[in-house]
Amino acid sequence: MSRPGYMFIICPDAELLHANIAELQEKHGATDYEKKAYWADEDLPPQFWDDLTLQTLFGASKVIILRRAHKLKAAVWDNIDKTIASLSSSSFLFICLESQWKSKTPPIPAVLKKRKCWKFAEKQKWFWKSAGLDQKSISGFVGKWAKTNGLHIESPVLNALSQALPKDARAARLELDKLELAAGPDRRILMEHVGLIAHSEEMDFFAFMRSMSEGGDPVEIWRRVLTNHSEKDSMIFMLTASLTREARALWMMIHGEESEVRLPPFVKKQKQALAQRLGPVRIARLFDIVMEAEIGIKTGQRKPEQALELLVASLTSLFAPPQRRR
């Protein structure tokens, strides 16, 4: 085949992930392929395996995207390893590894490193990797966006944008869309346009949970959350990701793994106190609440704003005093 049969996309930022897949489709002449997405944190249906190996009735080609593949168990990787060996020539498979990077090295699951499909992809360089946006990479992200949209940005303005924009690609694009409208017919982004970017302070979920657990006013607490995540369609996953990270740290602390949580000593001490106050049952319930919100959206059962409302209600109930929870 003139293009790879499959590729590994290693990136925790969903927006960058989708953008790169689109670029690879264009590079390999696959823009008109039927696109089908599957989620590895759900049971893979028989249709997934059929899409990999079977030709369609009229010979149409398919782009198959396997999201969150870092969640797969060893037995499923075994099946993928065997199936890829007989991959249909009409199928273009993208395997997405989306766990957060903890160092400069991409986090490749140990069960994958042993598989032939990974070793062959490494040899052929059939992968793309990015740790996501940070202070260094966001200027290139903005520059690429400006070039694609025919916009001119002077270096001082680009530096200011790199400081002001959120380090999440989807949130950053929403802000850049506003700047494109402001640029007008001259297609120039000026320093005065930087002020259009929403400079809301990132929500501190440790402060949020501490306030909720101490009986703070839920209306005021949630007002701040929703102000910081006003684009509900795009920010719900940012919110759940932040909540998951915080819950994971608290879970590790309450189970004697605080040495694995890298934080300044005074912050760690505060989080240990919060973990003890919440207890293992309520911390575990946080993971369930996040999963319910994400699955509702991914399966199409709920719109993002509905999932957000249920998330708010569930968390408010979880942190309510015992008599109100009953």
Side-chain angles (χ1 to χ4, degrees):
M1 290 183 290
S2 59
R3 59 162 174 77
Y6 63 95
M7 291 195 69
F8 286 95
I9 307 297
I10 310 163
C11 182
D13 190 311
E15 182 73 12
L16 293 180
L17 181 152
H18 284 300
N20 185 258
I21 289 177
E23 288 179 10
L24 288 168
Q25 283 184 253
E26 185 172 357
K27 176 181 177 181
H28 294 288
T31 53
D32 59 343
Y33 286 16
E34 179 186 5
K35 186 178 288 187
K36 307 189 79 170
Y38 296 92
W39 295 86
D41 41 12
E42 303 167 2
D43 290 335
L44 293 173
Q47 184 63 45
F48 169 75
W49 306 102
D50 289 346
D51 283 335
L52 292 183
T53 57
L54 300 181
Q55 293 275 0
T56 59
L57 183 61
F58 299 103
S61 297
K62 295 164 288 191
V63 163
I64 303 154
I65 303 171
L66 179 58
R67 295 290 309 275
R68 298 180 62 79
H70 61 283
K71 295 283 188 179
L72 291 174
K73 299 284 195 291
V76 184
W77 279 120
D78 286 338
N79 289 335
I80 288 177
D81 217 17
K82 294 174 185 175
T83 305
I84 280 179
S86 56
L87 190 68
S88 168
S89 60
S90 64
S91 298
F92 193 2
L93 172 63
F94 292 97
I95 303 173
C96 305
L97 308 174
E98 301 176 49
S99 54
Q100 294 290 330
W101 294 36
K102 296 181 180 178
S103 65
K104 294 182 179 180
T105 305
I108 310 301
V111 293
L112 172 58
K113 289 181 179 180
K114 304 173 185 177
R115 300 302 185 274
K116 292 179 182 178
C117 62
W118 171 254
K119 292 177 181 178
F120 189 71
E122 266 198 313
K123 183 178 179 181
Q124 299 294 322
K125 299 191 182 330
W126 286 356
F127 60 84
W128 176 83
K129 58 185 179 179
S130 169
L133 295 180
D134 58 22
Q135 198 58 52
K136 290 182 179 179
S137 62
I138 196 166
S139 59
F141 174 82
V142 176
K144 186 176 181 180
W145 165 83
K147 184 177 180 180
T148 300
N149 291 280
L151 293 159
H152 181 73
I153 307 177
E154 298 285 352
S155 293
V157 180
L158 179 60
N159 292 336
L161 283 176
S162 299
Q163 294 290 331
L165 285 167
K167 305 307 181 283
D168 172 87
R170 183 168 295 179
R173 283 191 188 280
L174 289 170
E175 298 299 334
L176 291 172
D177 286 345
K178 293 192 295 188
L179 299 187
E180 184 179 5
L181 291 174
D186 291 339
R187 309 299 287 167
R188 297 179 70 88
I189 305 295
L190 306 176
M191 190 64 77
E192 64 194 57
H193 295 146
V194 179
L196 297 173
I197 295 174
H199 287 279
S200 57
E201 180 185 356
E202 184 181 355
M203 181 62 194
D204 181 346
F205 269 81
F206 168 60
F208 154 72
M209 285 196 285
R210 182 177 59 193
S211 298
M212 293 291 282
S213 69
E214 291 174 349
D217 178 6
V219 174
E220 175 57 27
I221 293 169
W222 277 110
R223 182 198 63 75
R224 186 182 172 198
V225 174
L226 299 180
T227 297
N228 282 275
H229 296 85
S230 58
E231 296 286 351
K232 297 177 186 177
D233 283 7
S234 60
M235 297 300 176
I236 178 67
F237 288 112
M238 286 180 62
L239 192 151
T240 55
S242 298
L243 189 54
T244 301
R245 285 195 298 271
E246 197 61 51
R248 187 181 296 118
L250 296 175
W251 182 263
M252 293 171 70
M253 287 179 172
I254 206 169
H255 287 88
E257 299 179 30
E258 59 274 0
S259 62
E260 298 298 318
V261 180
R262 293 179 175 83
L263 291 168
F266 75 96
V267 176
K268 184 177 287 190
K269 185 176 180 180
Q270 290 179 332
K271 292 200 177 191
Q272 285 172 327
L274 176 60
Q276 292 297 327
R277 186 159 64 246
L278 293 178
V281 174
R282 285 203 281 179
I283 294 174
R285 176 62 184 144
L286 289 171
F287 294 104
D288 292 337
I289 290 170
V290 168
M291 184 175 68
E292 289 164 6
E294 292 190 349
I295 288 178
I297 297 172
K298 293 172 186 176
T299 59
Q301 294 177 338
R302 298 189 182 98
K303 295 179 179 179
E305 60 267 25
Q306 293 172 325
L308 182 58
E309 289 174 7
L310 287 172
L311 182 76
V312 169
S314 298
L315 289 173
T316 302
S317 175
L318 180 69
F319 288 111
Q323 64 272 22
R324 282 171 50 197
R325 286 204 298 273
R326 286 198 296 268

